[in-house]
Amino acid sequence: MGTSYRAVGTREATAANLAWWDADADDYQATHGEFLGDAEFVWCPEGVREADAGLLGPVADKRVLEVGCGQAACARWLAQQGARVVGMDLSGGMLRHAREGNRRTGLDVPLLQATAERLPIATASMDLACSAFGAVPFVTSIDAVFTEVSRVLRPGGAWVFSVTHPMRWIFPDDPGPTGLTATQPYFDRTPYVEVGEDGEATYVEYHRTLGDYVRALAGAGLTLEDLIEPEWPEGHTRTWGQWSPLRGKLFPGTAIFRTRKP
């Protein structure tokens, strides 16, 4: 077991992340389920909620796709607001928790298992697409994801997604003082890889700069309307992985992109 930075192709990355999220699904839900809720739309560890931020705009009667839905709390919140929503995720383990959440809440959100690089959704069939830390950091090609999202959106449809803020790449993945010292070049896009004893990837995460995201969105025909960098809220004491009050008061941990198909 170990970590490295090396090139990883689509097949290896997909297999690694599918197995990792399947194996981690129970622990993830046990650790974060209360914070995320059964039918809440939380954009990020800073606690930005769609109910307050309104980044998607009115959703009643809108067709909405959640990309990388995990346990689908966001999708169920959207359904409560009157949206016709579909949740999609690569991991069967996470979708198992999504089905359990459906049963607990009585909100029967349709769920699909697929990769974000090949969406099993009809062209121009969605009014909105969203992703709260789902799929985007774990795929080989954001160009493919954004092109697919653009394809399934109707003209005027919005694509809003949150990811780890790209500047976090330069710091160790540590919520404490060690995580305040830059160690990794911002411009090095080599993926972060965790490997097993056989050297095969068991977890892969990709880094893109802010400029990379903007260019990929433009290449997919999507217009960037806003980039939100949430500040750490006063009195918010929760540590989530590398997110902590210590780091949050100094630099952003999340980037939320709000875009639209013309």
Side-chain angles (χ1 to χ4, degrees):
M1 300 290 290
T3 63
S4 66
Y5 292 88
R6 66 169 173 83
V8 183
T10 299
R11 181 176 297 180
E12 184 181 10
T14 301
N17 286 329
L18 171 59
W20 194 90
W21 284 106
D22 279 353
D24 190 62
D26 291 350
D27 287 343
Y28 186 90
Q29 180 65 12
T31 302
H32 303 300
E34 183 177 355
F35 178 74
L36 295 173
D38 272 342
E40 294 283 344
F41 198 131
V42 183
W43 279 108
C44 53
E46 290 86 353
V48 176
R49 282 169 159 72
E50 176 61 16
D52 302 317
L55 300 179
L56 295 172
V59 299
D61 296 321
K62 298 289 180 67
R63 292 275 298 170
V64 186
L65 172 66
E66 185 183 5
V67 179
C69 67
Q71 44 86 297
C74 297
R76 286 189 291 275
W77 181 87
L78 289 164
Q80 280 187 329
Q81 313 311 308
R84 293 172 288 164
V85 60
V86 175
M88 184 228 89
D89 202 275
L90 176 67
S91 167
M94 295 300 286
L95 290 173
R96 173 169 51 82
H97 283 285
R99 289 191 295 272
E100 291 171 0
N102 283 358
R103 286 193 290 271
R104 283 194 302 272
T105 61
L107 296 165
D108 191 19
V109 171
L111 301 166
L112 298 173
Q113 185 172 9
T115 171
E117 293 174 284
R118 294 187 300 277
L119 298 175
I121 302 292
T123 298
S125 62
M126 294 288 160
D127 300 299
L128 301 167
C130 59
S131 184
F133 277 80
V136 176
F138 308 107
V139 297
T140 307
S141 172
I142 55 170
D143 297 278
V145 174
F146 295 168
T147 297
E148 276 289 270
V149 170
S150 182
R151 176 185 64 79
V152 305
L153 282 176
R154 294 168 177 159
W159 162 231
V160 186
F161 65 96
S162 60
V163 293
T164 302
H165 197 289
M167 75 170 292
R168 287 284 176 113
W169 185 255
I170 71 178
F171 299 102
D173 196 9
D174 188 315
T178 301
L180 302 179
T181 302
T183 58
Q184 178 74 12
Y186 177 76
F187 299 104
D188 183 358
R189 279 84 160 179
T190 308
Y192 167 80
V193 186
E194 296 179 5
V195 297
E197 293 180 357
D198 59 359
E200 286 294 306
T202 58
Y203 175 91
V204 183
E205 189 166 344
Y206 292 85
H207 166 61
R208 285 95 186 187
T209 67
L210 285 172
D212 292 337
Y213 281 112
V214 172
R215 283 184 290 274
L217 290 165
L222 297 164
T223 300
L224 179 63
E225 294 186 334
D226 199 1
L227 171 58
I228 299 96
E229 300 166 292
E231 295 187 37
W232 193 263
E234 187 73 28
H236 187 43
T237 61
R238 191 177 197 274
T239 295
W240 177 332
Q242 56 152 304
W243 282 264
S244 66
L246 175 67
R247 303 181 90 203
K249 71 179 181 181
L250 295 175
F251 47 82
T254 297
I256 308 175
F257 294 80
R258 188 173 69 190
T259 76
R260 193 169 300 278
K261 181 177 180 178

